[in-house]
Amino acid sequence: MFFKTSPEAGLPARCGIILAAGEGNRLRSFVKTLRGYPLPKQYVNFIGKRSMLEHTFCRALKMIPAERLFTVVSQSHLQHPEVARQLSTRPMASIVEQPDNRDTGPGLLLPLAHLYKRYPDSTVVVFPSDHFILEEDLFMVYVDQAFRVVEQDPAKVVLLGINPSEAEPEYGYIVPGKKLYGPSAPGTHEVSLFIEKPERNVARDLVSCGGLWNTLVMVFKAKTFLNAVSRIAPLLYSSFERIWRAVGTPSLGDLVREVYQQMYPVNLSKGLLELLPLERPAALCVLPVRGIHWSDWGSEQRIIHVLESAGYAGRLNRIGEKALLRCEKS
């Protein structure tokens, strides 16, 4: 299925951000055992011939042209030949290097500063690079639907939510509230509550009252999201306003390093998304996603469980086979 069509006449450009600057620390020893050296998990191909990042590129390019798809990576990742190879097919101007890891809040705002400089009126989708999605074409239908909601109402920020299969405390939870109406908003709800990584007993309560897992795939108007950050985290916003002003100038690299040296880590979900429904209740929305095998691959047990349950156990590559054997022995 091919989605790369222009939005309706008069609508702003659709752009994308891929988050690939994480270190994958929870899987570091696992990947080192499998490959012989540490490599952040998003660059590892556990199944088939493509890494999770390459799968994410392929998924995003169904809808977003390469020149409007920005990828944030850590500068330290570039020392790995495998990382350089995977990034070599992307337009150079679309790769944004982060000097240090300051969690997912700055990890999103840094590429957003570059994107906003070039496409100030754009609507943006965010893709984490370490997720397993089996039904990619169907998933992108939901992404397109989220775009349509925001294009109809630019004040909205739309998250894609998944029906939980268990009370997993390592995920974020979204409780749907008031249903939206209109031709572009079927199935979309305002978010009444957002909780990142709750205790297991709290997760059970959230599941019982219809809570959804947060995929962290979200769509928003660039200006709307930045305005929300300016209200919720003004110090963080001011740091990235400085970066935005320097994009395209010779001083950008030095300024980014200076800003990051002074910056505290901010988690996107905990530090921003949890607060958005409290600060502006109608702004954050959720689109429930149905019929999708989805998982955030944050642990080796989750990787093996998903591959087995999705029927991929017989098609694992060499790394995946070693992972399965390791899991069976533990």
Side-chain angles (χ1 to χ4, degrees):
M1 193 175 293
F2 192 66
F3 298 94
K4 197 184 295 181
T5 57
S6 300
E8 296 177 14
L11 292 177
R14 292 180 175 184
C15 297
I17 290 174
I18 294 177
L19 305 177
E23 299 302 327
N25 289 327
R26 286 185 297 170
L27 279 176
R28 179 177 291 272
S29 62
F30 177 56
V31 171
K32 185 176 181 180
T33 298
L34 298 177
R35 298 186 62 94
Y37 60 92
L39 185 68
K41 60 183 176 178
Q42 61 268 30
Y43 305 108
V44 177
N45 55 313
F46 293 98
I47 181 169
K49 298 181 179 180
R50 291 184 295 182
S51 70
M52 288 196 287
L53 175 61
E54 289 171 316
H55 277 290
T56 308
F57 283 145
C58 183
R59 190 181 309 134
L61 288 168
K62 293 174 183 287
M63 182 173 292
I64 308 297
E67 68 274 12
R68 298 206 301 264
L69 184 62
F70 293 75
T71 303
V72 59
V73 300
S74 172
Q75 288 179 352
S76 63
H77 295 173
L78 300 177
Q79 65 182 312
H80 300 288
E82 181 64 18
V83 174
R85 182 193 67 77
Q86 293 181 32
L87 297 177
S88 64
T89 59
R90 309 267 62 84
M92 185 176 299
S94 72
I95 303 299
V96 180
E97 298 178 21
Q98 183 174 247
D100 297 293
N101 189 351
R102 293 293 186 265
D103 214 330
T104 47
L108 171 58
L109 288 175
L110 181 60
L112 186 56
H114 287 255
L115 186 157
Y116 188 59
K117 191 79 168 189
R118 299 177 205 178
Y119 306 100
D121 198 37
S122 61
T123 307
V124 182
V125 60
V126 176
F127 295 105
S129 62
D130 57 354
H131 291 181
F132 172 86
I133 300 173
L134 186 56
E135 299 83 1
E136 293 190 326
D137 285 346
L138 178 57
F139 188 82
M140 294 305 293
V141 169
Y142 283 101
V143 173
D144 180 68
Q145 184 62 55
F147 264 113
R148 293 178 185 274
V149 173
V150 176
E151 287 163 353
Q152 177 183 335
D153 186 351
K156 302 298 187 187
V157 175
V158 180
L159 293 163
L160 269 59
I162 294 282
N163 279 328
S165 58
E166 59 178 315
E168 168 61 76
E170 289 299 310
Y171 285 153
Y173 285 79
I174 306 164
V175 179
K178 176 183 174 183
K179 188 174 181 179
L180 301 185
Y181 292 95
S184 297
T188 308
H189 296 252
E190 293 179 0
V191 172
S192 64
L193 184 65
F194 184 106
I195 298 181
E196 176 68 8
K197 296 184 178 179
E199 298 291 335
R200 189 175 294 276
N201 62 326
V202 176
R204 291 193 191 100
D205 292 340
L206 293 169
V207 171
S208 67
C209 68
L212 303 168
W213 283 340
N214 175 31
T215 66
L216 208 59
V217 175
M218 59 180 177
V219 178
F220 51 76
K221 182 88 168 177
K223 183 178 293 186
T224 296
F225 188 81
L226 289 170
N227 285 340
V229 174
S230 72
R231 297 188 302 268
I232 295 170
L235 290 178
L236 183 66
Y237 174 82
S238 64
S239 295
F240 283 93
E241 187 177 34
R242 292 177 62 198
I243 292 174
W244 169 76
R245 294 184 184 282
V247 170
T249 71
S251 63
L252 176 62
D254 290 337
L255 177 62
V256 170
R257 284 187 288 273
E258 176 188 329
V259 167
Y260 267 72
Q261 287 173 357
Q262 301 168 355
M263 186 188 305
Y264 290 101
V266 178
N267 182 268
L268 173 60
S269 295
K270 192 76 177 174
L272 297 174
L273 296 181
E274 268 194 1
L275 302 177
L276 187 53
L278 305 176
E279 192 268 339
R280 187 159 294 188
L284 190 62
C285 299
V286 60
L287 175 60
V289 172
R290 317 289 185 190
I292 301 290
H293 289 85
W294 171 91
S295 180
D296 177 349
W297 278 5
S299 70
E300 56 187 281
Q301 291 80 13
R302 193 180 294 161
I303 292 172
I304 299 304
H305 172 74
V306 169
L307 291 176
E308 289 184 319
S309 63
Y312 270 59
R315 296 169 56 190
L316 295 171
N317 62 17
R318 181 178 58 85
I319 291 176
E321 290 170 353
K322 291 171 69 176
L324 182 58
L325 181 61
R326 173 186 166 115
C327 188
E328 290 174 344
K329 289 181 176 179
S330 61

